[in-house]
Amino acid sequence: MRLRVVLPRLRRRPAAPPGGRLRRAAILAAWVFGGAAAVGLAFVLSFWLAMKSEMRSTEVDVPDLDGKTLEEATTATAPLGLQVQVVDRRNDPRVASGRILQQDPGPKASVRRGRKIKVVLSLGGRVLEIPSVVGRGARAVELELSRDGFAAGDEAWVHDASAPSGTVIAQVPPPGSPAVSSTRVHRLVSEGARTATYVMPDLTGLSRTAAERWIGLCGLRPGPVRRVPATGRARGAVVGQLPLAGYPVRSKEIVELTVAE
């Protein structure tokens, strides 16, 4: 007798519709791309933060170098990783020679280490040459010194028969000396020849004519004549004078007479 084995039939699951497969593939692709985008964004953000942190760590504030020597400026910038570069030199009477006039970048500017700080050094005041003023008029010399950037210093007057009155006969500093603006130039000025001095004689008792003749011969000048009543004196006789007898008088000085009416 044969036995028949009857196997149960397996039921097949119905196949998924084509639209469902596409939807699952789209969802999977969206997750993949979304994850990649998130990873990329995280990488970019991390890189940006790292770069910013790095830049901050390499930035320093520029110190104020105004008025410093080149050696002092180098000492101040070296610990910050900065370099000092001289790009120009020029005269400035307000800043001593060899000291910094300007800098670029300016003080407190934020720069990266290794940056060069460009500076301008002072040469001090402009070097001038003292002009010669000897032999020239004292008043004109004052104006010319002021115009050329110098200052008129002290002025002394002495008698000098070899130079006309009002003429500069010596100066300090001497001509050709190096100087800076506003240097004072002192002058010695001639008063001309010394005027002879006489002792005024007593003219009283002389006639007016005789007294005026004497005044002219001595290089003096007759002044106003006053007339006063004088008892016991001849008419026209000198009874008074200015300057008085015994006083010193100089050439061309005026002598006033008083005569009897």
Side-chain angles (χ1 to χ4, degrees):
M1 182 176 178
R2 288 184 176 182
L3 296 177
R4 296 181 61 184
V5 179
V6 180
L7 297 177
R9 287 187 177 183
L10 295 178
R11 299 180 62 182
R12 294 182 180 180
R13 294 181 60 183
R21 288 198 301 270
L22 292 176
R23 186 164 52 253
R24 286 197 298 273
I27 292 173
L28 180 62
W31 275 100
V32 171
F33 285 114
V39 171
L41 180 61
F43 174 78
V44 171
L45 182 60
S46 299
F47 180 78
W48 180 77
L49 291 174
M51 287 295 296
K52 188 173 182 180
S53 176
E54 177 66 18
M55 289 178 65
R56 284 182 177 176
S57 66
T58 59
E59 287 184 350
V60 293
D61 290 339
V62 178
D64 187 357
L65 306 180
D66 186 38
K68 296 184 183 296
T69 64
L70 192 58
E71 182 180 356
E72 292 170 343
T74 302
T75 301
T77 55
L80 302 175
L82 303 176
Q83 303 177 40
V84 179
Q85 180 183 14
V86 179
V87 295
D88 195 11
R89 302 171 189 264
R90 65 168 178 262
N91 295 102
D92 192 318
R94 299 169 299 175
V95 181
S97 178
R99 295 190 174 272
I100 293 175
L101 283 174
Q102 294 179 353
Q103 67 179 88
D104 181 38
K108 298 184 179 179
S110 183
V111 298
R112 299 192 67 180
R113 295 179 183 274
R115 174 75 180 269
K116 289 184 178 180
I117 309 302
K118 299 178 181 180
V119 299
V120 178
L121 290 183
S122 172
L123 294 175
R126 182 168 60 97
V127 178
L128 304 173
E129 187 174 287
I130 299 292
S132 174
V133 298
V134 174
R136 300 162 68 182
R139 300 284 77 83
V141 163
E142 285 190 12
L143 296 176
E144 292 175 9
L145 287 174
S146 177
R147 181 195 63 195
D148 294 339
F150 299 99
D154 298 328
E155 187 177 84
W157 291 69
V158 295
H159 290 287
D160 188 335
S162 65
S165 178
T167 303
V168 178
I169 56 178
Q171 69 179 86
V172 176
S177 302
V180 296
S181 180
S182 299
T183 296
R184 289 162 55 87
V185 180
H186 309 288
R187 289 100 54 221
L188 186 63
V189 184
S190 171
E191 278 190 297
R194 185 180 298 276
T195 304
T197 303
Y198 307 97
V199 176
M200 186 68 190
D202 186 0
L203 302 179
T204 58
L206 296 177
S207 66
R208 175 184 174 181
T209 303
E212 288 181 344
R213 185 183 303 114
W214 181 92
I215 291 171
L217 291 173
C218 292
L220 303 175
R221 294 183 296 165
V225 177
R226 295 195 310 161
R227 297 179 182 275
V228 296
T231 304
R233 294 297 182 95
R235 184 183 179 84
V238 177
V239 296
Q241 67 183 66
L242 285 175
L244 299 175
Y247 275 69
V249 290
R250 296 180 179 179
S251 177
K252 297 183 180 181
E253 191 167 337
I254 295 176
V255 180
E256 299 179 8
L257 298 176
T258 302
V259 300
E261 287 184 338

